[in-house]
Amino acid sequence: MKNWSALLQQKRVEELLGWLAFIGTLAWFYRNPPWMWATHLPAPGDFLEALWQTEFWRNAALSGSFQLISLEVMYPLGMHQMVLAHAGVGLLLLPIALMTNSAVAINLGFILGTVLTFVGGKSLLKYFTSSPLLASIGAIVFTFGLGRTFHIHFHLNVALASTASVWMAAMLMGLRQHMGKEHVWKWAVGSGICWGISAIAQPYFAFLNAVLMLLLGTQRTAWKYAPLVLFVALATCGPFLLLVAQGSAYMGSLPPSLKTLHAFSATPGSYLGWGRLTAWRSLADLSIGWRRMLSEADVQNWGVITPALAIAGAIQAWRTKSRRAIIVVLATAGVLSMGPLVLIDSPNDFVKHINKVVWLLGDRLKPAMFNDSTLSLRENSLPLPGMLPILLLPGYEFARVAGRYSILVSLAAIILVIAALNCLPRRWAVVLVCLLALEMLPKPRQPAPFPQTPHPAHAWAAQQIAGQDRSVYSPPGMLSIYSHHLANNLAGANVNGPFASAYTLSGYPWITFENHSIDPPEIALTDPAYASILRRAQVAIVLLRPAAAEVAQKNRALRFVQCFEPAPSQPYYEDTLCAFDVLPDPDDFFAVQPLTGFSFFEPASVWVEGKRARSAWRISYPRPHMIEISMRAYCPATKKQSVVVKINGQPVASHDWSKNCWDAWGTTLSVSPELLKPGLNFIEIEADSAAQPYLHDPNNPDRRILSVMIERLRLIPVNTNQSASR
């Protein structure tokens, strides 16, 4: 009895020490005290997007108005809220936001998520050690390091998704341990709920957390509950994922390229050493030799103790059949984290043959990803197992960041670490686990002020275009977008979101998805021909930083107005912004926003690729319009061509090329207000056929699938007193 009492007392002491260690680490890392929660965010950048999305859900709940399209981004199309990375975070934090405000909800949500990660980690590790102290330190290492390192600094969505992931793992281990006992189904239901919550926080965890099901191992009775786990997960996140799919369809989201998928992959070196987010900068400097230090996977803190103990734990676990599932999870997640391919020099004939087969399958199954732009990868890469789900699973490529499988590698690794330590004498185990905690100490996270007023340039621009169907171009990034939001939801042509929209295909060099610089390229600033891109997006005002503004003053399509210094009360937006008017040009041959179906724009024409193309413009209220159309057709010698022009799905004009397809056809249409609607209106071009020129003319190398060539498509809104050409 006395031994039992001493053991119980020891466990209580270890439990207390574990909580003190966690609280101390949290206080070290999180430098935003509660009295600053209403004015500061945990960090700038993506936390600002989380704030924006939380405000969206809060305002929708309080007002009862659920407006899914935000005009602060990608005007005139607008940004569908559900495609934003933190849309699910806003939904999960809604109860807190309704009781407080959005900024407090972000801070409190981060704290609660961190605490839940720690508690979930302890719950998982208790199946592998009887020591509360070892379980606590292991949970601290997972919470603040390993695969979560980057995300606790920058990505609230991934941080919260990984919180649900550790609980899912704990529930699955509970399912295994409680087989044959009463109410074992509750563990399956809990696993499904956690899986669903992780997919709400970040939708691609619907794919990632499937790997955790391997924790069930070879226990057949446990696998009988897998359908229940999957059903509950789909019931939890299904409605939200349907909204995400709806948003993706609205935006015309494009799959990321193979180059992008490779760039966001981990490497073997990612799992050894320290990144720039460690508290020990000298250790990070040691890791530069084998880390790229570019992708988020290479910023993670793994140290050297964790990999060493994980290897030792894996050797020990393999001897125990029931624990081999941990190694399977580690290996599966680790291989998938490497992405779809690895670059190699001079692949041999066997590798070239494999690549040829992969690209043939890719061209058939996912042609948007395996197009001509990827041929260089085919010649200089080796496909990895991560290529298989890309080829075979619909939508898997939208998971995008294979390196985030490292979160699941972390779960398996920390289990093996604690299992290894549990076999050592207690004194040595405590010494090693304390060294592990010190080695993994994260760099402190400094808070960022919470924006409350727009930049003066955005406030001025909102007044200038008030009541007009116009937008403003600002430097890309969440700072500009949120400032637009604060400026009475100022319409903006900025681009945001995790995936490129078809909206951006015709936007170079002004409106592009991958903004490697805050300023537009010089060709955009100096060549007046590219101002047509701004006019199509109904941009009336361009805001540039001073260096870019100086270059843009040479552009005759832009007229300088004035510069605006940031207000002293806006430390979050430090840039001066200079305003330019976008001057009209009646010679623009194409004066609406292209959305889908168009090829690259030439100076005076654009081809429709395929048989259908869609463009759009946005108006506040229906009024009469004149539409000018001129086009030619492509058709092989044995075929004819016809085209139908539709406004919002209603045919308004048609033409048949019965003789020479290259004869120009043009018309001017009067469009009554009854055909239009407040908001986004569509012009659709539908051709009867399309063909590839190279198949019908040996002298024509063009492999595009072409139907009609548009030489003029302009809108003229008709006012009572004047007509203003768009």
Side-chain angles (χ1 to χ4, degrees):
M1 187 69 180
K2 185 178 295 185
N3 291 338
W4 174 257
S5 178
L7 180 62
L8 183 62
Q9 185 66 25
Q10 178 184 341
K11 285 184 176 290
R12 287 176 177 172
V13 171
E14 288 192 11
E15 190 78 35
L16 176 61
L17 290 174
W19 273 102
L20 290 175
F22 168 72
I23 294 171
T25 307
L26 179 60
W28 161 266
F29 171 74
Y30 198 73
R31 303 295 178 90
N32 194 15
W35 55 87
M36 292 173 57
W37 286 359
T39 58
H40 287 70
L41 296 176
D46 280 8
F47 275 90
L48 200 55
E49 183 184 283
L51 177 67
W52 183 32
Q53 291 305 288
T54 305
E55 287 187 350
F56 160 73
W57 287 101
R58 184 175 187 271
N59 292 336
L62 293 176
S63 66
S65 177
F66 197 59
Q67 299 295 329
L68 284 171
I69 308 302
S70 171
L71 300 183
E72 298 102 303
V73 192
M74 295 191 187
Y75 194 91
L77 177 65
M79 169 67 78
H80 196 292
Q81 297 280 356
M82 293 302 104
V83 301
L84 290 167
H86 287 82
V89 169
L91 177 61
L92 293 173
L93 297 182
L94 179 60
I96 303 175
L98 290 174
M99 291 185 291
T100 55
N101 62 41
S102 299
V104 172
I106 296 296
N107 284 282
L108 187 55
F110 182 87
I111 294 295
L112 289 176
T114 306
V115 173
L116 287 173
T117 305
F118 170 68
V119 176
K122 286 180 58 180
S123 300
L124 174 63
L125 294 174
K126 74 179 182 181
Y127 295 108
F128 302 93
T129 180
S130 59
S131 168
L133 182 60
L134 291 182
S136 295
I137 300 300
I140 290 172
V141 169
F142 174 78
T143 301
F144 293 99
L146 306 180
R148 278 173 48 95
T149 306
F150 189 81
H151 310 299
I152 60 174
H153 282 82
F154 301 109
H155 296 151
L156 183 58
N157 55 339
V158 182
L160 293 181
S162 62
T163 299
S165 298
V166 70
W167 277 101
M168 179 182 172
M171 291 288 181
L172 289 172
M173 290 305 303
L175 177 63
R176 287 187 57 176
Q177 295 294 324
H178 291 82
M179 289 305 304
K181 298 182 180 179
E182 191 177 5
H183 303 309
V184 67
W185 59 269
K186 292 182 179 179
W187 295 94
V189 171
S191 300
I193 291 174
C194 293
W195 193 354
I197 290 174
S198 70
I200 292 174
Q202 180 48 267
Y204 52 63
F205 271 75
F207 290 115
L208 267 64
N209 278 351
V211 174
L212 289 179
M213 293 297 293
L214 297 175
L215 286 172
L216 297 180
T218 58
Q219 200 167 343
R220 294 183 179 180
T221 53
W223 277 102
K224 291 180 180 179
Y225 287 91
L228 178 59
V229 175
L230 181 60
F231 173 79
V232 173
L234 290 175
T236 302
C237 67
F240 179 78
L241 294 184
L242 286 176
L243 283 174
V244 173
Q246 179 189 32
S248 183
Y250 175 84
M251 299 300 301
S253 295
L254 304 173
S257 67
L258 286 175
K259 289 183 179 179
T260 299
L261 297 182
H262 170 68
F264 283 124
S265 301
T267 64
S270 304
Y271 295 105
L272 180 68
W274 300 264
R276 58 183 173 84
L277 299 178
T278 179
W280 316 107
R281 183 54 190 262
S282 58
L283 295 179
D285 293 339
L286 290 175
S287 306
I288 292 177
W290 64 86
R291 286 192 173 195
R292 294 175 295 182
M293 289 298 172
L294 296 176
S295 71
E296 61 185 51
D298 288 314
V299 178
Q300 298 169 1
N301 295 329
W302 280 81
V304 294
I305 298 177
T306 298
L309 289 176
I311 293 172
I315 295 172
Q316 177 205 28
W318 191 254
R319 299 169 183 163
T320 306
K321 186 177 180 180
S322 62
R323 291 191 174 182
R324 290 179 182 176
I326 309 300
I327 303 175
V328 173
V329 171
L330 179 79
T332 303
V335 168
L336 290 175
S337 74
M338 303 297 171
L341 53 85
V342 60
L343 299 179
I344 59 175
D345 294 326
S346 303
N348 58 37
D349 291 339
F350 179 70
V351 172
K352 289 181 179 179
H353 178 71
I354 293 176
N355 283 343
K356 184 178 180 180
V357 173
V358 168
W359 256 257
L360 284 173
L361 284 172
D363 182 60
R364 182 177 294 271
L365 299 173
K366 296 186 177 180
M369 294 190 66
F370 293 83
N371 50 36
D372 290 346
S373 66
T374 65
L375 293 181
S376 61
L377 286 177
R378 188 185 68 180
E379 301 301 323
N380 297 283
S381 68
L382 172 67
L384 298 177
M387 183 69 80
L388 283 176
I390 289 176
L391 289 171
L392 302 177
L393 295 181
Y396 179 85
E397 62 274 15
F398 286 97
R400 198 170 54 111
V401 189
R404 291 177 186 174
Y405 274 106
S406 62
I407 293 171
L408 307 187
V409 176
S410 305
L411 277 175
I414 203 64
I415 289 173
L416 296 173
V417 166
I418 297 305
L421 290 173
N422 198 53
C423 296
L424 296 177
R426 182 55 54 91
R427 181 177 301 176
W428 285 107
V430 170
V431 170
L432 278 176
V433 82
C434 289
L435 287 175
L436 175 62
L438 284 174
E439 177 190 53
M440 301 300 293
L441 192 66
K443 180 181 179 180
R445 176 72 271 174
Q446 300 299 330
F450 164 52
Q452 300 187 46
T453 57
H455 191 286
H458 294 139
W460 170 84
Q463 294 177 345
Q464 298 302 304
I465 66 171
Q468 303 178 42
D469 300 319
R470 294 289 187 267
S471 66
V472 173
Y473 174 91
S474 294
M478 268 310 303
L479 285 177
S480 284
I481 292 170
Y482 198 80
S483 184
H484 275 239
H485 170 66
L486 294 173
N488 198 26
N489 299 321
L490 173 64
N494 310 65
V495 177
N496 193 45
F499 306 108
S501 166
Y503 171 96
T504 64
L505 291 178
S506 304
Y508 180 83
W510 279 102
I511 301 171
T512 60
F513 176 67
E514 295 184 6
N515 293 292
H516 300 291
S517 172
I518 296 178
D519 300 320
E522 185 175 355
I523 191 173
L525 298 172
T526 57
D527 192 338
Y530 288 112
S532 60
I533 293 167
L534 300 171
R535 299 186 192 99
R536 291 169 197 156
Q538 299 174 232
V539 173
I541 297 171
V542 170
L543 298 175
L544 300 170
R545 299 194 305 171
E550 184 176 354
V551 178
Q553 294 197 38
K554 305 171 186 177
N555 193 329
R556 67 175 184 272
L558 303 177
R559 180 174 60 205
F560 175 73
V561 180
Q562 68 178 103
C563 292
F564 297 85
E565 299 291 334
S569 60
Q570 299 165 334
Y572 74 96
Y573 204 134
E574 300 175 349
D575 290 327
T576 297
L577 294 179
C578 300
F580 292 78
D581 286 331
V582 179
L583 301 179
D585 184 357
D587 293 328
D588 274 352
F589 81 93
F590 199 100
V592 289
Q593 178 62 42
L595 296 180
T596 59
F598 296 97
S599 185
F600 55 85
F601 275 72
E602 299 176 42
S605 64
V606 61
W607 279 99
V608 171
E609 283 201 65
K611 295 192 289 186
R612 293 177 179 82
R614 173 183 267 198
S615 55
W617 82 105
R618 186 173 289 275
I619 55 176
S620 300
Y621 61 91
R623 55 177 169 172
H625 281 69
M626 300 293 291
I627 298 182
E628 298 175 353
I629 300 173
S630 178
M631 62 180 72
R632 302 175 190 267
Y634 173 77
C635 50
T638 58
K639 294 185 178 181
K640 302 302 178 184
Q641 184 65 283
S642 63
V643 69
V644 177
V645 180
K646 296 181 179 180
I647 302 291
N648 292 331
Q650 298 297 316
V652 293
S654 63
H655 182 72
D656 293 318
W657 281 271
S658 57
K659 295 182 180 180
N660 186 359
C661 286
W662 199 241
D663 287 342
W665 168 69
T667 185
T668 300
L669 305 173
S670 296
V671 181
S672 66
E674 288 74 21
L675 280 175
L676 305 178
K677 60 185 178 181
L680 199 63
N681 291 266
F682 298 97
I683 301 178
E684 297 152 299
I685 309 293
E686 295 187 2
D688 182 60
S689 64
Q692 293 177 283
Y694 87 101
L695 294 176
H696 304 278
D697 182 356
N699 297 318
N700 192 335
D702 198 337
R703 290 176 174 265
R704 293 176 297 171
I705 303 174
L706 306 178
S707 55
V708 295
M709 183 178 74
I710 298 173
E711 295 182 322
R712 192 166 185 82
L713 182 57
R714 291 185 58 83
L715 289 172
I716 306 173
V718 179
N719 299 321
T720 54
N721 298 324
Q722 61 178 358
S723 296
S725 175
R726 285 207 49 252

